[in-house]
Amino acid sequence: LNVPLNTRVIIKYHLLHCSPYDFISLEWLQKWLDESTPPKPIDNTACLCSHGKLHPDKISIMKRISEYVADFFYRRYGGGPRLNVKALCKDCVVERCRILRLKNQLNEDYKAVTNLLKITVKGNDGFWVGKASLRSWRQLALEQLNEQDEDTEHSNGKMNGNAQSKDESNEEKKEEEEELNFNEDIVCPHGDLCISENERRVVSKEAWEKLKQYFPKAPEFPNNKECCSQCKILEREGEENEALHKMMASEQKTSLQNLFHDKCRPCLGSWPQETDELYIVSQFFVEEWRKFVRRPTRCSPVSSVGNSALLCPHGGLMFTYASMTKEDSKLIALIWPSEWERIQKLFVVDHVIKITRTQAAGADPESTLYTSEPQLCPECREGLLCQQQRDLREYTQATIYIHKVVDNKKVWALFLGLYSSWLPCLILLAQIMHAFSVAPFDQNLSIDGKILNDDTATLGSLGVIPESVILLKADEPLADYAAMDDVMQGEVGGWPGRFGGSRKEPHYCDCGRRFSGQGLCWIWVVKVEN
């Protein structure tokens, strides 16, 4: 609705000369003066307190106008509620003044308490207060005063339809419950005075009374208050357990000193001549036991050997004698017969695993037999190997090494990183071409004697596993260097021979280095002597 110019001039005059007056939303008044959009009905609800009157903290977003102009606005645009000279909430004003006085009083009391804390308390007239509470009591008192303001704001918001969601309110309440209130830092889990005197100190009665004014619900512990009896019992039991653990660790270390220090250990690869029997435990048991012996007060004692981890569900051994001398040696620990006798006394043995050497007198050493108790479970062993092979051929990030062979000598070593098992061999050929200036049709790749000649196959299907070493033997280079340059630059329509005419566009890895296929990143090329 358009308002004539002379009417607006009269209204602006009365805006400056307003007695008696009304309060109106400053935001609405600014939109009305803008004249670009038609004004909406007046809305003063955002400025109301929980009592339905004008909140004293909202005066800054209100504008005082004359009663004459207010009559015009409400008659022409409607809305409300109308806030006249009596609309300011007396209760909120009184509460605001009370909080301001308390904040001023808090500064004075803080200085007084600080001086009182310097005085040494004699006799039993004092009170126990947590040291953490004394360091932060002023901040806690301020937070309490601010919470009262927030509660008022929250009530005001609910009245005006701006209440927080239920989830947010519950989350805030949960966080508040987790925070310790004043002097609760010296309350034990049983609700009594904690036994640690390092966490509390005695304050005078005068200081406690001043603190009590701000925290009337704080737990009170006089100077002659006894500590929690239950905590004393638990502390005594804890000390006894620590002493027991130290004694256990010392005894076990003395009995199994070589095992603890990993000295004079038997080896299946070079069987010791002084015995025909060796026992096996899991390496995990040995590592956990060593942790306990080193720190008996911090680590839990090891009670069981736990050899079931080395057996299959059928009770058979999961490892062969050959594998225990190589890749599976890091999973087991060999035990001397004398050590095994002590282990049986110190720990609970769930399963006995033993390797026995059988050798006829005067027989050839190669005819020596090694048997295990329990025996190997062939089915579970085969399943374990299949699973390990599948794991090796399914990976997302790994490294391989490329060695270029010239006259049966490795003259260059190339390290590749961040490649995947699904990467086609074709992409690997392109990378080798850019690194060694060897065209794909001149590359002869092999791994462990196996020729890699299927360009469309993935690295995983070709048997390339993490940390593999691929040998590169190059045929004679092209005599036409211009043709070689065309191949290197990818300017021909297709790559002959191994690439079958397919052309790959260059890509970039996450680190910004250029490579010709996804999942492969060239890190560096180094020259090695052999």
Side-chain angles (χ1 to χ4, degrees), residues 161-179:
N162 298 323
Q164 294 177 328
S165 65
K166 185 177 180 180
D167 295 337
E168 293 177 348
S169 299
N170 292 337
E171 185 177 354
E172 289 181 357
K173 290 181 180 178
K174 185 177 180 180
E175 292 178 356
E176 292 176 357
E177 291 175 356
E178 293 176 354
E179 296 179 358

Side-chain angles (χ1 to χ4, degrees), residues 436-447:
F436 292 116
S437 299
V438 178
F441 45 78
D442 288 331
Q443 298 177 20
N444 298 289
L445 305 180
S446 63
I447 179 172

